[in-house]
Amino acid sequence: MRLLLLSDTHLPKRAKALPPQLLDEVPDADVVVHAGDWVDTATLDLLEGRARRLIGVYGNNDGPELRARLPEVAYAELAGVRLGVVHETGPAQGRERRCAERFPELDVLVFGHSHIPWDSTAGDRLRLLNPGSPTDRRRQPYCTYMTAEITAGRLTAVELHRLPRRR
């Protein structure tokens, strides 16, 4: 099972559209995961229309329309992997401990908010993933997103993808 992970698209404020390289990944993904801060409903509509399955949450910059359509936290079991999605997890310091305590039943937690890619493990079980942002790199050298595979009930092949700089 192939996953496409993204967050913090902030459209149309940070970019006019999702990058073509990211959109090209959507048909190849069994599940697209968006960890909030969509900002516009058009991006949600676009991904709902193109993705085989979409799991998304709202973020702190998402207004009433998005909050009416999306949960604050989403849960799914994907081929034996217990996945959770939330926008914000708080400061980097202590993140693993906080998330392990808040989400003891999960194998993987996808989050956003910081626009900073993150890949760590809390204890020996909970994998924490932040795909960064495909449209707003902030203090990062590149805009980013992630892909991953689920094989034999385990998350594998997690890859951070750097997007070309916009002109």
Side-chain angles (χ1 to χ4, degrees):
M1 174 177 284
R2 184 165 174 80
L3 308 179
L4 172 60
L5 312 175
L6 64 149
S7 186
D8 297 284
T9 47
H10 290 273
L11 293 177
K13 293 181 178 188
R14 303 289 186 215
K16 292 184 188 341
L18 291 175
Q21 179 181 330
L22 173 68
L23 287 174
D24 289 347
E25 296 264 10
V26 172
D28 296 330
D30 296 297
V31 181
V32 175
V33 177
H34 192 301
D37 274 4
W38 306 72
V39 179
D40 72 341
T41 57
T43 304
L44 175 57
D45 294 338
L46 173 74
L47 290 178
E48 280 182 332
R50 292 189 181 188
R52 290 182 211 167
R53 180 175 180 187
L54 176 66
I55 300 170
V57 297
Y58 66 77
N60 60 300
N61 284 297
D62 294 327
E65 286 183 57
L66 286 161
R67 288 172 186 246
R69 293 174 61 184
L70 296 163
E72 181 179 9
V73 182
Y75 299 95
E77 186 167 328
L78 304 174
V81 171
R82 297 167 300 173
L83 175 88
V85 186
V86 66
H87 183 63
E88 195 169 344
T89 60
Q93 185 172 1
R95 177 173 287 140
E96 285 85 2
R97 178 191 50 75
R98 280 191 317 276
C99 290
E101 289 172 359
R102 182 175 175 195
F103 302 103
E105 72 286 359
L106 295 181
D107 300 310
V108 178
L109 179 66
V110 179
F111 66 98
H113 188 62
S114 68
H115 300 214
I116 299 171
W118 184 280
D119 184 351
S120 69
T121 302
D124 62 349
R125 188 188 50 76
L126 179 62
R127 185 86 174 259
L128 301 171
L129 298 173
N130 184 331
S133 170
T135 57
D136 183 16
R137 64 184 179 87
R138 282 195 186 158
R139 297 171 303 279
Q140 300 303 299
Y142 296 95
C143 289
T144 58
Y145 66 94
M146 286 179 170
T147 56
E149 301 279 339
I150 296 177
T151 307
R154 295 179 48 98
L155 188 71
T156 62
V158 175
E159 185 176 349
L160 180 68
H161 300 268
R162 294 177 173 179
L163 290 159
R165 292 183 186 236
R166 290 193 308 263
R167 296 174 191 187

